[in-house]
Amino acid sequence: MKKSPATEAHRVATDIAAIKSALQQQGYTTRKRPKQAAWTIIPLNQRGTGRKVIGRYQN
């Protein structure tokens, strides 16, 4: 049985929120990249700097 687009969108939003929450607990911050299904993941250290990584959502 095929899932409705609304159900799938809700599942994706829930997955993304869980990932962002887990990253925040580990000391990372995220920024949404415009017009892409990608986020910049920025580790925060005491100086507020760190190596940036791009995470992409793939189904």
Side-chain angles (χ1 to χ4, degrees):
M1 186 167 104
K2 190 173 182 181
K3 294 181 182 179
S4 73
T7 303
E8 188 67 16
H10 186 272
R11 184 192 63 80
V12 169
T14 304
D15 289 349
I16 291 169
I19 292 167
K20 286 178 70 174
S21 175
L23 285 168
Q24 263 189 335
Q25 289 176 355
Q26 295 298 318
Y28 292 87
T29 187
T30 59
R31 290 188 187 160
K32 175 75 173 75
R33 296 185 53 101
K35 299 181 182 179
Q36 298 178 19
W39 289 258
T40 303
I41 301 167
I42 305 164
L44 296 177
N45 58 21
Q46 293 175 345
R47 296 182 192 156
T49 61
R51 183 171 176 239
K52 296 178 183 179
V53 179
I54 296 175
R56 299 187 189 278
Y57 185 84
Q58 295 180 353
N59 194 3

Short mmCIF file of all heavy atoms in Angstrom, two decimals:
data_model
loop_
_atom_site.label_atom_id
_atom_site.label_comp_id
_atom_site.label_asym_id
_atom_site.label_seq_id
_atom_site.Cartn_x
_atom_site.Cartn_y
_atom_site.Cartn_z
N MET A 1 0.84 -1.18 0.00
CA MET A 1 0.00 0.00 0.00
C MET A 1 0.89 1.25 0.00
O MET A 1 1.84 1.35 0.77
CB MET A 1 -0.88 -0.01 1.24
CG MET A 1 -1.89 1.09 1.25
SD MET A 1 -3.13 0.83 2.52
CE MET A 1 -2.58 1.99 3.71
N LYS A 2 0.57 2.19 -0.86
CA LYS A 2 1.36 3.41 -0.99
C LYS A 2 0.93 4.43 0.07
O LYS A 2 -0.25 4.61 0.32
CB LYS A 2 1.15 3.98 -2.39
CG LYS A 2 2.09 5.09 -2.71
CD LYS A 2 1.95 5.50 -4.16
CE LYS A 2 2.95 6.57 -4.48
NZ LYS A 2 2.86 7.02 -5.86
N LYS A 3 1.93 5.09 0.67
CA LYS A 3 1.64 6.09 1.69
C LYS A 3 1.28 7.41 1.03
O LYS A 3 1.76 7.73 -0.06
CB LYS A 3 2.87 6.30 2.58
CG LYS A 3 3.21 5.10 3.42
CD LYS A 3 4.41 5.42 4.28
CE LYS A 3 4.79 4.20 5.10
NZ LYS A 3 5.95 4.45 5.93
N SER A 4 0.45 8.18 1.71
CA SER A 4 0.08 9.49 1.17
C SER A 4 1.26 10.46 1.30
O SER A 4 2.11 10.31 2.18
CB SER A 4 -1.14 10.04 1.91
OG SER A 4 -0.77 10.46 3.20
N PRO A 5 1.32 11.47 0.43
CA PRO A 5 2.40 12.45 0.51
C PRO A 5 2.44 13.18 1.86
O PRO A 5 3.52 13.49 2.35
CB PRO A 5 2.11 13.41 -0.63
CG PRO A 5 1.30 12.63 -1.60
CD PRO A 5 0.49 11.69 -0.76
N ALA A 6 1.29 13.43 2.45
CA ALA A 6 1.25 14.13 3.74
C ALA A 6 1.87 13.27 4.84
O ALA A 6 2.61 13.77 5.70
CB ALA A 6 -0.18 14.49 4.10
N THR A 7 1.59 11.96 4.81
CA THR A 7 2.16 11.05 5.80
C THR A 7 3.67 10.97 5.64
O THR A 7 4.42 10.99 6.62
CB THR A 7 1.55 9.64 5.66
OG1 THR A 7 0.13 9.75 5.79
CG2 THR A 7 2.08 8.69 6.69
N GLU A 8 4.12 10.88 4.41
CA GLU A 8 5.56 10.82 4.14
C GLU A 8 6.25 12.11 4.56
O GLU A 8 7.34 12.08 5.14
CB GLU A 8 5.79 10.54 2.66
CG GLU A 8 7.22 10.27 2.30
CD GLU A 8 7.78 8.98 2.87
OE1 GLU A 8 7.00 8.12 3.30
OE2 GLU A 8 9.01 8.85 2.91
N ALA A 9 5.65 13.25 4.29
CA ALA A 9 6.23 14.54 4.67
C ALA A 9 6.33 14.66 6.19
O ALA A 9 7.33 15.16 6.72
CB ALA A 9 5.39 15.68 4.11
N HIS A 10 5.33 14.17 6.89
CA HIS A 10 5.35 14.20 8.36
C HIS A 10 6.47 13.31 8.89
O HIS A 10 7.18 13.68 9.83
CB HIS A 10 4.00 13.76 8.92
CG HIS A 10 3.92 13.89 10.40
ND1 HIS A 10 4.31 12.88 11.25
CD2 HIS A 10 3.51 14.92 11.18
CE1 HIS A 10 4.14 13.28 12.49
NE2 HIS A 10 3.66 14.51 12.48
N ARG A 11 6.66 12.15 8.29
CA ARG A 11 7.73 11.24 8.72
C ARG A 11 9.10 11.87 8.51
O ARG A 11 9.97 11.81 9.38
CB ARG A 11 7.65 9.92 7.96
CG ARG A 11 8.69 8.89 8.46
CD ARG A 11 8.79 7.70 7.52
NE ARG A 11 9.26 8.06 6.20
CZ ARG A 11 10.54 8.27 5.88
NH1 ARG A 11 11.48 8.17 6.78
NH2 ARG A 11 10.87 8.57 4.64
N VAL A 12 9.29 12.52 7.37
CA VAL A 12 10.56 13.17 7.06
C VAL A 12 10.82 14.30 8.06
O VAL A 12 11.93 14.43 8.59
CB VAL A 12 10.58 13.70 5.61
CG1 VAL A 12 11.76 14.61 5.37
CG2 VAL A 12 10.57 12.54 4.63
N ALA A 13 9.81 15.11 8.32
CA ALA A 13 9.96 16.22 9.27
C ALA A 13 10.31 15.71 10.67
O ALA A 13 11.15 16.28 11.37
CB ALA A 13 8.69 17.06 9.31
N THR A 14 9.70 14.60 11.07
CA THR A 14 9.98 13.99 12.37
C THR A 14 11.42 13.47 12.42
O THR A 14 12.12 13.66 13.42
CB THR A 14 8.99 12.85 12.66
OG1 THR A 14 7.66 13.37 12.56
CG2 THR A 14 9.20 12.27 14.03
N ASP A 15 11.86 12.82 11.35
CA ASP A 15 13.24 12.32 11.28
C ASP A 15 14.25 13.46 11.39
O ASP A 15 15.23 13.37 12.13
CB ASP A 15 13.49 11.56 9.97
CG ASP A 15 12.78 10.23 9.90
OD1 ASP A 15 12.25 9.77 10.94
OD2 ASP A 15 12.76 9.65 8.80
N ILE A 16 14.01 14.53 10.67
CA ILE A 16 14.92 15.67 10.67
C ILE A 16 14.97 16.31 12.06
O ILE A 16 16.04 16.66 12.55
CB ILE A 16 14.54 16.68 9.59
CG1 ILE A 16 14.81 16.08 8.21
CG2 ILE A 16 15.29 18.00 9.76
CD1 ILE A 16 14.26 16.86 7.05
N ALA A 17 13.82 16.46 12.70
CA ALA A 17 13.78 17.04 14.04
C ALA A 17 14.55 16.18 15.04
O ALA A 17 15.28 16.72 15.90
CB ALA A 17 12.33 17.22 14.49
N ALA A 18 14.44 14.87 14.92
CA ALA A 18 15.16 13.97 15.82
C ALA A 18 16.67 14.08 15.61
O ALA A 18 17.45 14.10 16.57
CB ALA A 18 14.70 12.54 15.61
N ILE A 19 17.10 14.16 14.36
CA ILE A 19 18.53 14.29 14.05
C ILE A 19 19.07 15.61 14.58
O ILE A 19 20.14 15.67 15.20
CB ILE A 19 18.77 14.15 12.53
CG1 ILE A 19 18.47 12.72 12.08
CG2 ILE A 19 20.19 14.56 12.16
CD1 ILE A 19 18.37 12.54 10.59
N LYS A 20 18.34 16.71 14.35
CA LYS A 20 18.78 18.01 14.82
C LYS A 20 18.87 18.05 16.35
O LYS A 20 19.81 18.61 16.91
CB LYS A 20 17.83 19.10 14.33
CG LYS A 20 17.99 19.41 12.85
CD LYS A 20 17.00 20.44 12.38
CE LYS A 20 17.34 21.79 12.95
NZ LYS A 20 16.50 22.87 12.41
N SER A 21 17.91 17.43 17.02
CA SER A 21 17.92 17.37 18.48
C SER A 21 19.13 16.60 19.00
O SER A 21 19.80 17.03 19.94
CB SER A 21 16.63 16.73 18.98
OG SER A 21 16.67 16.58 20.37
N ALA A 22 19.43 15.46 18.38
CA ALA A 22 20.58 14.66 18.78
C ALA A 22 21.88 15.42 18.55
O ALA A 22 22.80 15.37 19.39
CB ALA A 22 20.60 13.33 18.03
N LEU A 23 21.98 16.14 17.44
CA LEU A 23 23.18 16.93 17.17
C LEU A 23 23.36 18.05 18.19
O LEU A 23 24.47 18.31 18.65
CB LEU A 23 23.13 17.52 15.75
CG LEU A 23 23.40 16.54 14.62
CD1 LEU A 23 23.04 17.17 13.29
CD2 LEU A 23 24.85 16.08 14.63
N GLN A 24 22.27 18.70 18.56
CA GLN A 24 22.34 19.77 19.55
C GLN A 24 22.82 19.25 20.90
O GLN A 24 23.60 19.90 21.58
CB GLN A 24 20.98 20.45 19.72
CG GLN A 24 20.85 21.70 18.92
CD GLN A 24 19.57 22.44 19.28
OE1 GLN A 24 18.61 21.85 19.76
NE2 GLN A 24 19.57 23.72 19.03
N GLN A 25 22.36 18.08 21.28
CA GLN A 25 22.78 17.49 22.55
C GLN A 25 24.27 17.18 22.56
O GLN A 25 24.90 17.18 23.61
CB GLN A 25 21.98 16.22 22.84
CG GLN A 25 20.55 16.48 23.19
CD GLN A 25 19.76 15.20 23.38
OE1 GLN A 25 20.27 14.11 23.16
NE2 GLN A 25 18.51 15.33 23.80
N GLN A 26 24.85 16.93 21.40
CA GLN A 26 26.28 16.63 21.29
C GLN A 26 27.12 17.89 21.07
O GLN A 26 28.32 17.79 20.89
CB GLN A 26 26.51 15.64 20.15
CG GLN A 26 25.89 14.28 20.38
CD GLN A 26 26.48 13.58 21.59
OE1 GLN A 26 27.68 13.61 21.81
NE2 GLN A 26 25.63 12.97 22.38
N GLY A 27 26.49 19.06 21.03
CA GLY A 27 27.24 20.31 20.90
C GLY A 27 27.40 20.81 19.48
O GLY A 27 28.35 21.52 19.17
N TYR A 28 26.50 20.45 18.60
CA TYR A 28 26.53 20.91 17.22
C TYR A 28 25.35 21.84 16.97
O TYR A 28 24.34 21.79 17.66
CB TYR A 28 26.42 19.74 16.24
CG TYR A 28 27.61 18.83 16.23
CD1 TYR A 28 27.71 17.77 17.12
CD2 TYR A 28 28.63 19.02 15.32
CE1 TYR A 28 28.81 16.93 17.11
CE2 TYR A 28 29.74 18.19 15.29
CZ TYR A 28 29.81 17.15 16.20
OH TYR A 28 30.90 16.32 16.19
N THR A 29 25.49 22.69 15.98
CA THR A 29 24.37 23.51 15.53
C THR A 29 24.17 23.26 14.04
O THR A 29 25.10 22.84 13.35
CB THR A 29 24.61 25.01 15.83
OG1 THR A 29 23.43 25.73 15.52
CG2 THR A 29 25.76 25.55 15.02
N THR A 30 22.97 23.48 13.56
CA THR A 30 22.67 23.22 12.16
C THR A 30 22.07 24.47 11.52
O THR A 30 21.40 25.25 12.19
CB THR A 30 21.68 22.06 11.99
OG1 THR A 30 20.47 22.36 12.68
CG2 THR A 30 22.24 20.76 12.52
N ARG A 31 22.33 24.61 10.23
CA ARG A 31 21.73 25.68 9.43
C ARG A 31 21.23 25.08 8.13
O ARG A 31 21.94 24.35 7.47
CB ARG A 31 22.76 26.76 9.10
CG ARG A 31 23.17 27.57 10.28
CD ARG A 31 24.04 28.71 9.84
NE ARG A 31 24.56 29.40 11.02
CZ ARG A 31 25.60 30.17 11.00
NH1 ARG A 31 26.26 30.38 9.88
NH2 ARG A 31 26.01 30.75 12.10
N LYS A 32 20.01 25.41 7.78
CA LYS A 32 19.41 24.92 6.53
C LYS A 32 20.04 25.64 5.36
O LYS A 32 20.20 26.85 5.36
CB LYS A 32 17.90 25.17 6.57
CG LYS A 32 17.15 24.83 5.31
CD LYS A 32 16.99 23.34 5.15
CE LYS A 32 16.11 22.98 3.99
NZ LYS A 32 16.71 23.12 2.69
N ARG A 33 20.42 24.89 4.34
CA ARG A 33 20.97 25.49 3.12
C ARG A 33 19.79 25.86 2.20
O ARG A 33 18.89 25.07 2.02
CB ARG A 33 21.92 24.53 2.44
CG ARG A 33 23.13 24.25 3.35
CD ARG A 33 24.16 23.41 2.72
NE ARG A 33 24.60 23.90 1.44
CZ ARG A 33 25.73 24.58 1.24
NH1 ARG A 33 26.50 24.87 2.24
NH2 ARG A 33 26.07 24.94 0.03
N PRO A 34 19.81 27.07 1.63
CA PRO A 34 18.67 27.52 0.84
C PRO A 34 18.44 26.66 -0.41
O PRO A 34 19.38 26.28 -1.10
CB PRO A 34 19.03 28.95 0.46
CG PRO A 34 20.48 29.09 0.72
CD PRO A 34 20.88 28.04 1.70
N LYS A 35 17.18 26.35 -0.65
CA LYS A 35 16.71 25.64 -1.85
C LYS A 35 17.35 24.26 -2.02
O LYS A 35 17.44 23.76 -3.13
CB LYS A 35 16.94 26.48 -3.10
CG LYS A 35 16.21 27.80 -3.08
CD LYS A 35 16.46 28.57 -4.35
CE LYS A 35 15.76 29.91 -4.30
NZ LYS A 35 16.00 30.71 -5.49
N GLN A 36 17.79 23.65 -0.93
CA GLN A 36 18.39 22.32 -1.01
C GLN A 36 17.90 21.48 0.17
O GLN A 36 17.55 22.01 1.21
CB GLN A 36 19.92 22.41 -0.92
CG GLN A 36 20.56 23.17 -2.03
CD GLN A 36 22.07 23.25 -1.84
OE1 GLN A 36 22.66 22.48 -1.11
NE2 GLN A 36 22.69 24.21 -2.50
N ALA A 37 17.92 20.18 0.01
CA ALA A 37 17.62 19.28 1.12
C ALA A 37 18.93 18.97 1.82
O ALA A 37 19.38 17.84 1.92
CB ALA A 37 16.97 18.01 0.61
N ALA A 38 19.59 20.05 2.32
CA ALA A 38 20.90 19.91 2.95
C ALA A 38 21.00 20.89 4.11
O ALA A 38 20.40 21.97 4.08
CB ALA A 38 22.00 20.15 1.94
N TRP A 39 21.78 20.50 5.11
CA TRP A 39 22.03 21.33 6.27
C TRP A 39 23.52 21.41 6.50
O TRP A 39 24.24 20.43 6.31
CB TRP A 39 21.37 20.74 7.52
CG TRP A 39 19.89 20.85 7.50
CD1 TRP A 39 19.14 21.76 8.17
CD2 TRP A 39 18.96 20.05 6.78
NE1 TRP A 39 17.81 21.57 7.90
CE2 TRP A 39 17.68 20.52 7.04
CE3 TRP A 39 19.10 18.96 5.92
CZ2 TRP A 39 16.54 19.95 6.49
CZ3 TRP A 39 17.96 18.41 5.37
CH2 TRP A 39 16.70 18.91 5.66
N THR A 40 24.00 22.56 6.95
CA THR A 40 25.38 22.70 7.35
C THR A 40 25.44 22.36 8.83
O THR A 40 24.70 22.94 9.64
CB THR A 40 25.89 24.14 7.13
OG1 THR A 40 25.71 24.46 5.75
CG2 THR A 40 27.35 24.27 7.50
N ILE A 41 26.31 21.43 9.19
CA ILE A 41 26.45 20.99 10.58
C ILE A 41 27.75 21.61 11.10
O ILE A 41 28.83 21.36 10.56
CB ILE A 41 26.49 19.46 10.67
CG1 ILE A 41 25.20 18.90 10.08
CG2 ILE A 41 26.68 19.02 12.11
CD1 ILE A 41 25.24 17.41 9.84
N ILE A 42 27.63 22.41 12.14
CA ILE A 42 28.77 23.17 12.64
C ILE A 42 29.06 22.73 14.07
O ILE A 42 28.24 22.89 14.96
CB ILE A 42 28.45 24.68 12.63
CG1 ILE A 42 28.01 25.11 11.23
CG2 ILE A 42 29.64 25.49 13.11
CD1 ILE A 42 27.33 26.45 11.20
N PRO A 43 30.26 22.17 14.30
CA PRO A 43 30.62 21.82 15.68
C PRO A 43 31.00 23.08 16.44
O PRO A 43 31.67 23.96 15.90
CB PRO A 43 31.81 20.88 15.51
CG PRO A 43 32.38 21.20 14.19
CD PRO A 43 31.27 21.74 13.35
N LEU A 44 30.55 23.17 17.67
CA LEU A 44 30.88 24.33 18.49
C LEU A 44 31.88 23.91 19.55
O LEU A 44 31.67 22.97 20.29
CB LEU A 44 29.62 24.88 19.17
CG LEU A 44 28.55 25.44 18.24
CD1 LEU A 44 27.35 25.89 19.04
CD2 LEU A 44 29.10 26.60 17.44
N ASN A 45 32.99 24.61 19.59
CA ASN A 45 33.95 24.41 20.67
C ASN A 45 33.99 25.69 21.50
O ASN A 45 33.19 26.60 21.31
CB ASN A 45 35.32 24.00 20.13
CG ASN A 45 35.91 25.02 19.17
OD1 ASN A 45 35.53 26.17 19.19
ND2 ASN A 45 36.82 24.59 18.34
N GLN A 46 34.94 25.80 22.39
CA GLN A 46 34.98 26.95 23.29
C GLN A 46 35.19 28.26 22.55
O GLN A 46 34.74 29.31 23.00
CB GLN A 46 36.07 26.76 24.34
CG GLN A 46 35.75 25.63 25.29
CD GLN A 46 36.88 25.34 26.24
OE1 GLN A 46 38.00 25.79 26.03
NE2 GLN A 46 36.58 24.59 27.28
N ARG A 47 35.85 28.23 21.42
CA ARG A 47 36.08 29.44 20.64
C ARG A 47 34.94 29.74 19.67
O ARG A 47 34.91 30.76 19.03
CB ARG A 47 37.37 29.31 19.83
CG ARG A 47 38.59 29.20 20.69
CD ARG A 47 39.80 29.11 19.82
NE ARG A 47 40.95 28.73 20.62
CZ ARG A 47 42.01 28.14 20.14
NH1 ARG A 47 42.10 27.86 18.87
NH2 ARG A 47 43.01 27.84 20.93
N GLY A 48 34.01 28.82 19.52
CA GLY A 48 32.92 29.02 18.58
C GLY A 48 33.29 28.71 17.15
O GLY A 48 32.60 29.11 16.23
N THR A 49 34.41 28.02 16.96
CA THR A 49 34.84 27.67 15.62
C THR A 49 34.91 26.17 15.48
O THR A 49 34.93 25.44 16.46
CB THR A 49 36.22 28.27 15.29
OG1 THR A 49 37.17 27.74 16.21
CG2 THR A 49 36.20 29.77 15.37
N GLY A 50 34.98 25.70 14.28
CA GLY A 50 35.11 24.27 14.03
C GLY A 50 34.95 23.98 12.56
O GLY A 50 34.59 24.85 11.77
N ARG A 51 35.22 22.75 12.18
CA ARG A 51 35.10 22.34 10.78
C ARG A 51 33.64 22.13 10.44
O ARG A 51 32.92 21.40 11.13
CB ARG A 51 35.88 21.04 10.58
CG ARG A 51 35.87 20.57 9.17
CD ARG A 51 36.84 19.41 9.01
NE ARG A 51 36.74 18.92 7.65
CZ ARG A 51 36.41 17.68 7.35
NH1 ARG A 51 36.18 16.80 8.28
NH2 ARG A 51 36.34 17.31 6.09
N LYS A 52 33.19 22.73 9.36
CA LYS A 52 31.79 22.61 8.93
C LYS A 52 31.62 21.39 8.04
O LYS A 52 32.48 21.08 7.22
CB LYS A 52 31.35 23.85 8.18
CG LYS A 52 31.36 25.09 9.04
CD LYS A 52 30.95 26.30 8.25
CE LYS A 52 31.04 27.54 9.10
NZ LYS A 52 30.69 28.73 8.36
N VAL A 53 30.50 20.71 8.20
CA VAL A 53 30.16 19.53 7.41
C VAL A 53 28.77 19.75 6.82
O VAL A 53 27.90 20.31 7.48
CB VAL A 53 30.16 18.26 8.30
CG1 VAL A 53 29.78 17.05 7.51
CG2 VAL A 53 31.50 18.08 8.97
N ILE A 54 28.56 19.29 5.60
CA ILE A 54 27.24 19.41 4.98
C ILE A 54 26.55 18.05 5.06
O ILE A 54 27.10 17.04 4.63
CB ILE A 54 27.33 19.87 3.52
CG1 ILE A 54 27.91 21.29 3.48
CG2 ILE A 54 25.96 19.84 2.86
CD1 ILE A 54 28.15 21.80 2.09
N GLY A 55 25.35 18.02 5.63
CA GLY A 55 24.55 16.80 5.70
C GLY A 55 23.38 16.92 4.74
O GLY A 55 22.71 17.95 4.69
N ARG A 56 23.14 15.88 3.98
CA ARG A 56 22.03 15.89 3.02
C ARG A 56 21.01 14.84 3.40
O ARG A 56 21.36 13.76 3.83
CB ARG A 56 22.54 15.61 1.62
CG ARG A 56 23.52 16.62 1.12
CD ARG A 56 23.87 16.37 -0.35
NE ARG A 56 24.97 17.20 -0.77
CZ ARG A 56 24.85 18.46 -1.14
NH1 ARG A 56 23.68 19.02 -1.16
NH2 ARG A 56 25.91 19.14 -1.52
N TYR A 57 19.75 15.18 3.19
CA TYR A 57 18.68 14.21 3.45
C TYR A 57 18.42 13.46 2.15
O TYR A 57 18.14 14.05 1.12
CB TYR A 57 17.40 14.90 3.90
CG TYR A 57 16.35 13.89 4.29
CD1 TYR A 57 16.34 13.35 5.56
CD2 TYR A 57 15.41 13.45 3.38
CE1 TYR A 57 15.42 12.40 5.91
CE2 TYR A 57 14.49 12.50 3.72
CZ TYR A 57 14.50 11.98 4.98
OH TYR A 57 13.59 11.03 5.33
N GLN A 58 18.55 12.13 2.21
CA GLN A 58 18.27 11.31 1.05
C GLN A 58 17.27 10.24 1.45
O GLN A 58 17.40 9.63 2.48
CB GLN A 58 19.54 10.65 0.52
CG GLN A 58 20.53 11.63 -0.02
CD GLN A 58 21.78 10.94 -0.55
OE1 GLN A 58 21.95 9.76 -0.39
NE2 GLN A 58 22.64 11.72 -1.16
N ASN A 59 16.31 10.02 0.61
CA ASN A 59 15.26 9.04 0.88
C ASN A 59 15.64 7.69 0.36
O ASN A 59 16.29 7.47 -0.56
CB ASN A 59 13.95 9.51 0.26
CG ASN A 59 12.80 8.72 0.80
OD1 ASN A 59 12.96 7.88 1.67
ND2 ASN A 59 11.64 9.04 0.31
#
